[in-house]
Every structure is written in C-alpha cells, then in structure tokens.
Amino acid sequence: MVTCTYRSPEEQRRLYDIGRSVPGSIRTNVDGIHKKSNHNLYPCRAIDFCIVDGGKVIWSRDVYEPIGEMCQAVGLVWGGSWKSIDDYTHVELAKAA
C-alpha cells in the first residue's frame, strides 16, 4: 500500500525535526528547505509504501528486501540500500544522467 507520494516542504521539515527538536527516532536527513527530498518535487519522484497481510501492516525489514532488490533491478533507488539511514519502505526514481 502506498503511504506517501508528494510531501510539502513544511511536512518534510516536520519529519526532519523528529529525533532532533521533537522526541522520537530520526526519520529523514532531508529538511525540505535547504535540501529537497524527491517527495518534495512535483511531480513527485518518490513513494513510501508498506506491505499489508491479512489487513495488518508488516514492518519486518526482511519482508521488504525482495521488493527492494526488484526495484533496484529495474533501475529504481531503494531506501533500504542507503548507508546514512535505513528507509526500506521508500523507493524513488534514479537521478537523471
């Protein structure tokens, strides 16, 4: 299930603040103001998604790995392959050459 496509810069900033000025774990390294996310572009170049089984969301990373591998095989960028943050529920278009 797709959980997010376009995200306004203000919404991106709210997510960026989590784990910094707002309690919680860091969710993103992109603030939407000084550095844009592919979610902040219009048309959007990124989606966040989750796997649903029997009406229940599955958050176990190992379930997402085959999807990430398939996405990478067709030239998409999978957030689960990033070194700076593990965003295994994120897929985006590769940057144009």
Side-chain angles (χ1 to χ4, degrees):
M1 172 171 54
V2 174
T3 59
C4 182
T5 55
Y6 174 77
R7 187 181 297 143
S8 71
E10 296 79 19
E11 185 178 358
Q12 185 71 36
R13 181 58 193 225
R14 283 192 295 274
L15 286 173
Y16 178 82
D17 288 342
I18 297 171
R20 293 177 176 88
S21 62
V22 174
S25 298
I26 290 177
R27 296 187 184 179
T28 182
N29 290 325
V30 179
D31 68 5
I33 297 166
H34 299 100
K35 185 175 181 185
K36 300 287 185 191
S37 161
N38 277 326
H39 284 289
N40 304 139
L41 303 176
Y42 192 84
C44 183
R45 297 180 51 86
I47 65 164
D48 291 338
F49 67 99
C50 66
I51 297 171
V52 180
D53 185 20
K56 186 172 182 175
V57 175
I58 300 172
W59 294 112
S60 177
R61 186 190 199 286
D62 62 321
V63 175
Y64 290 80
E65 288 179 3
I67 295 169
E69 291 170 5
M70 287 187 304
C71 289
Q72 289 177 309
V74 297
L76 297 172
V77 176
W78 177 48
S81 67
W82 294 339
K83 304 291 184 232
S84 62
I85 193 165
D86 188 16
D87 197 357
Y88 59 86
T89 64
H90 176 96
V91 176
E92 63 184 51
L93 297 173
K95 293 195 178 6

